[in-house]
Amino acid sequence: MLIPPHPFFMIRHGETDWNREGRFQGQVDIDLNDLGRSQAAGNGKALAALIDPSQWAFICSPMSRTRETMELIRENMGLPREGYAIDERLIEVTFGDWEKHTFSDIDAKWPDQAKLRHENKWEYVPPNGESYRAAAERMRPVLENLKQPSVIVTHGGIIRGMRVYIEDTNPDDTAHGATPQDQLYFYDGDEGGWLDKDDGAEA
């Protein structure tokens, strides 16, 4: 179980065209689409109603889709687009040879491997990739060493991994769980969960 020293919001980047197509992105640098930009702006407006940003650090994955999400969040909080830190450990899980392929491509080209992944997504390592567990272990020190309350923009795989440690959930169930791109994940110093944008309640 992971008990971070400070509260934080963890936010997935907005939608990309590859998300819409069901294509593995991993560490391929893909930009947001128009819906993704709208989602990021909405998350910024939601955050503006919840926190005093002067008391919070802003930390981001190095990918272009996460940086643009962070900049739109800050802009919609009334902040300069710049003014956040990059942490390489927040980068998405790498899917190795599967990156750029759709889910149906994977089923057709690597059917045995796709079956193994479905059966144990938490531990499974794609060809030349990494497991969700390995990515979560890479990310874990970021949360363990937070110096102040933080807004963190990262990726779906990373959020799934951190939920396993923060919420003490079943790893494989959580690895298969949804990671909305238009909601905020909030850890309040005691427990974590998804917040509804409109009223701050857990979804």
Side-chain angles (χ1 to χ4, degrees):
M1 186 113 176
L2 171 60
I3 304 176
H6 295 284
F8 64 84
F9 288 92
M10 194 157 46
I11 304 167
R12 185 182 179 191
H13 63 80
E15 185 187 79
T16 70
D17 286 343
W18 281 22
N19 287 146
R20 184 173 293 178
E21 294 166 7
R23 193 175 299 277
F24 282 85
Q25 292 179 123
Q27 296 181 8
V28 180
D29 213 7
I30 305 299
D31 292 335
L32 300 182
N33 60 23
D34 287 343
L35 175 58
R37 294 183 182 98
S38 176
Q39 290 169 332
N43 282 331
K45 291 171 183 173
L47 270 178
L50 294 172
I51 64 171
D52 173 0
S54 68
Q55 305 300 312
W56 291 67
F58 291 78
I59 313 168
C60 188
S61 157
M63 306 299 288
S64 62
R65 59 189 181 269
T66 44
R67 295 198 316 271
E68 185 175 10
T69 297
M70 174 65 87
E71 290 169 11
L72 286 166
I73 285 170
R74 288 180 57 84
E75 184 178 83
N76 282 274
M77 295 179 74
L79 300 170
R81 288 175 71 100
E82 65 279 1
Y84 59 92
I86 295 289
D87 194 314
E88 298 285 341
R89 295 170 294 182
L90 298 177
I91 199 168
E92 177 64 300
V93 179
T94 177
F95 298 108
D97 296 349
W98 289 9
E99 292 181 354
K100 305 182 182 180
H101 293 279
T102 64
F103 297 114
S104 57
D105 291 339
I106 303 302
D107 288 338
K109 190 171 182 179
W110 293 279
D112 293 341
Q113 293 297 309
K115 182 174 183 291
L116 289 173
R117 182 178 190 262
H118 182 76
E119 291 171 349
N120 190 354
K121 191 174 179 181
W122 178 247
E123 300 282 2
Y124 177 77
V125 182
N128 297 308
E130 68 180 330
S131 66
Y132 274 69
R133 177 193 285 277
E137 286 296 322
R138 157 167 55 81
M139 158 66 169
R140 181 173 180 150
V142 177
L143 297 185
E144 289 176 327
N145 296 295
L146 290 177
K147 304 301 183 188
Q148 66 186 95
S150 299
V151 174
I152 301 167
V153 177
T154 185
H155 304 267
I158 298 299
I159 293 173
R160 289 185 180 103
M162 287 303 96
R163 288 188 63 203
V164 169
Y165 294 140
I166 293 162
E167 300 175 38
D168 198 24
T169 59
N170 177 279
D172 203 52
D173 288 347
T174 305
H176 283 282
T179 51
Q181 290 168 301
D182 60 351
Q183 287 180 251
L184 310 172
Y185 183 91
F186 181 51
Y187 173 77
D188 63 6
D190 182 40
E191 58 185 7
W194 292 102
L195 300 184
D196 180 86
K197 284 198 307 179
D198 296 326
D199 60 16
E202 285 199 19

